[in-house]
Amino acid sequence: MHVNSRSVAALLLASALAAQSARYRDPVFAQVQATNNVVYGSAVNRFTNLTETLRLDLYQPQGDTVAARPAVVIVHGGGFTGGDKATAQMVQQGQNFARRGYVAVSINYRLAPVGSGITRQVITDAAHDCKAAIRWLRSQAATLRIDTERIASIGSSAGAYTVLEAAYVPGEGSSGNPGFSSSVRAVVDQWGQLADLNELQAGEAPVFIVHGTNDPTVPYVHATNLKTRADAAPVPAELHPIQGAGHAPWAAYFASYEVQVFAFFWEHLRLGQLAGLSVRPGYASPGNATFDTFGVATDVSVLCVAATMTSLPLPGLGTLCLDPSTLVVVDVTPLPGTPRIATAPFTLPVPGGLAGFSLPWQALHLGLAAPRTLTNCVSTAF
């Protein structure tokens, strides 16, 4: 089965196909299931000497049936003396992630009394609680259907201090769920800072930094210093300044920057391996089949088909699900330059005579310098 580029272009122009929604990039679920005040651990508050029960609010896409989903831990701000997992912005973030197919948890953590000051011990306690929440997600992976290799964290203000400390500073603490990893694959710093920049080392989780340039609470220089340290380590890092903004510019964040976070997670959690290819309903033999491929802008997508399936792990790329002995390259198309996670359709003529056959398809995405990822596998049954 082969279609040359001219015929593909003609088909695309004639059909004027609309871009499809991508799971993990777009809000594909209308409803979110929220479960509040779930216990994830406990720890002694160093100021009261009392054991605190640690709780989280859980957000899941309602009606979802996917077996393994990415997860994200959300950590609120409040100067380590206040704030709550259920503040409006935390709820909005949890719902926005869940609508895209994530499992999201917004956590509470140990706080200090007002006026006690932000000490490294206070940050460490919060980070240990955050790590316990990440371990809790892994401990509940089967029940919550979580892909344990695709867990990220995001925090604002004091919550950003917390997620950075949890991502880059060794030490697990004893807040709960021992025996599971507390590592994350990506971290988002919303107007916070890493207390000791030297803790950031090569090979650690990529970081997305968003910060107001006129922040009087956590000066913008902390954002630039973190980016400089990440570049030197090196660790993949992005700095997104909000020009003229002060501390906690939530309106600007939700309006313009949150979409970049979804794209950042898509790229660094390699979510194209889970949702980088889909087939539209209505294909037939004879007739047409339309596939949508989703990936990093300007990458080249190579669509392949095979007669039979396999499961061959390819480190760094994903799992090849097409039998190499019967694999055929069907077509090649570049992804558009925008948005960052772009969509391109393949529309292919399907010959007759395929009744009773089921064909598996997969795409390989090629970056500028090297192959980037293999998508998920989709199957068409005629």
Side-chain angles (χ1 to χ4, degrees):
M1 186 186 299
H2 176 75
V3 182
N4 64 42
S5 59
R6 180 174 298 177
S7 63
V8 170
L11 281 167
L12 297 182
L13 181 63
S15 57
L17 295 169
Q20 300 296 290
S21 293
R23 184 185 177 96
Y24 309 128
R25 184 194 71 173
D26 303 317
V28 298
F29 291 90
Q31 301 296 324
V32 172
Q33 177 186 345
T35 308
N36 297 327
N37 294 316
V38 178
V39 174
Y40 73 87
S42 64
V44 175
N45 186 305
R46 68 175 63 250
F47 296 96
T48 66
N49 290 320
L50 299 176
T51 298
E52 291 187 13
T53 298
L54 302 172
R55 301 180 187 273
L56 58 81
D57 293 340
L58 170 67
Y59 300 90
Q60 300 180 77
Q62 188 167 305
D64 187 23
T65 59
V66 167
R69 307 173 290 183
V72 60
V73 174
I74 302 165
V75 186
H76 68 80
F80 293 101
T81 61
D84 189 79
K85 60 184 172 54
T87 55
Q89 296 90 349
M90 304 309 110
V91 172
Q92 185 172 347
Q93 289 184 102
Q95 291 177 340
N96 288 350
F97 276 109
R99 288 193 179 100
R100 286 161 174 81
Y102 287 79
V103 175
V105 295
S106 176
I107 71 167
N108 276 349
Y109 52 93
R110 283 171 288 175
L111 299 176
V114 174
S116 59
I118 300 176
T119 67
R120 190 66 185 273
Q121 287 183 324
V122 169
I123 300 170
T124 298
D125 287 349
H128 286 171
D129 295 350
C130 179
K131 289 184 177 187
I134 296 165
R135 293 194 299 267
W136 180 86
L137 284 172
R138 288 193 166 94
S139 76
Q140 300 297 310
T143 301
L144 296 178
R145 293 179 284 125
I146 291 171
D147 185 331
T148 58
E149 296 301 312
R150 292 180 168 89
I151 297 177
S153 59
I154 180 171
S156 51
S157 193
Y161 282 70
T162 299
V163 296
L164 292 169
E165 189 89 357
Y168 302 127
V169 181
E172 293 299 308
S174 56
S175 301
N177 314 302
F180 296 91
S181 171
S182 63
S183 66
V184 292
R185 288 282 296 273
V187 59
V188 175
D189 160 22
Q190 298 166 313
W191 41 94
Q193 74 173 94
L194 178 59
D196 183 352
L197 292 172
N198 291 323
E199 296 284 4
L200 181 59
Q201 300 293 324
E204 295 185 312
V207 58
F208 181 104
I209 308 159
V210 57
H211 210 117
T213 59
N214 289 349
D215 190 335
T217 304
V218 184
Y220 179 67
V221 67
H222 292 297
T224 59
N225 287 345
L226 179 56
K227 177 64 163 65
T228 298
R229 173 58 192 166
D231 291 343
V235 164
E238 299 180 18
L239 174 56
H240 296 263
I242 305 181
Q243 295 296 332
H247 193 65
W250 282 111
Y253 173 79
F254 285 122
S256 302
Y257 296 89
E258 187 181 44
V259 65
Q260 295 296 329
V261 169
F262 298 134
F264 177 79
F265 281 172
W266 175 288
E267 186 172 341
H268 291 287
L269 299 183
R270 296 186 178 273
L271 296 178
Q273 295 175 357
L274 305 180
L277 186 67
S278 64
V279 59
R280 301 189 193 184
Y283 57 84
S285 170
N288 290 324
T290 298
F291 299 84
D292 293 288
T293 190
F294 308 90
V296 177
T298 74
D299 277 4
V300 173
S301 186
V302 181
L303 182 65
C304 304
V305 66
T308 55
M309 298 185 69
T310 187
S311 181
L312 179 63
L314 298 179
L317 289 178
T319 300
L320 179 67
C321 68
L322 305 181
D323 180 359
S325 67
T326 62
L327 184 151
V328 176
V329 174
V330 177
D331 217 316
V332 178
T333 191
L335 290 164
T338 57
R340 177 171 171 175
I341 303 303
T343 308
F346 297 94
T347 297
L348 307 173
V350 179
L354 293 180
F357 286 89
S358 182
L359 296 177
W361 308 76
Q362 191 172 28
L364 171 65
H365 288 183
L366 305 174
L368 182 63
R372 187 186 300 276
T373 194
L374 283 163
T375 70
N376 56 308
C377 202
V378 299
S379 185
T380 55
F382 296 95

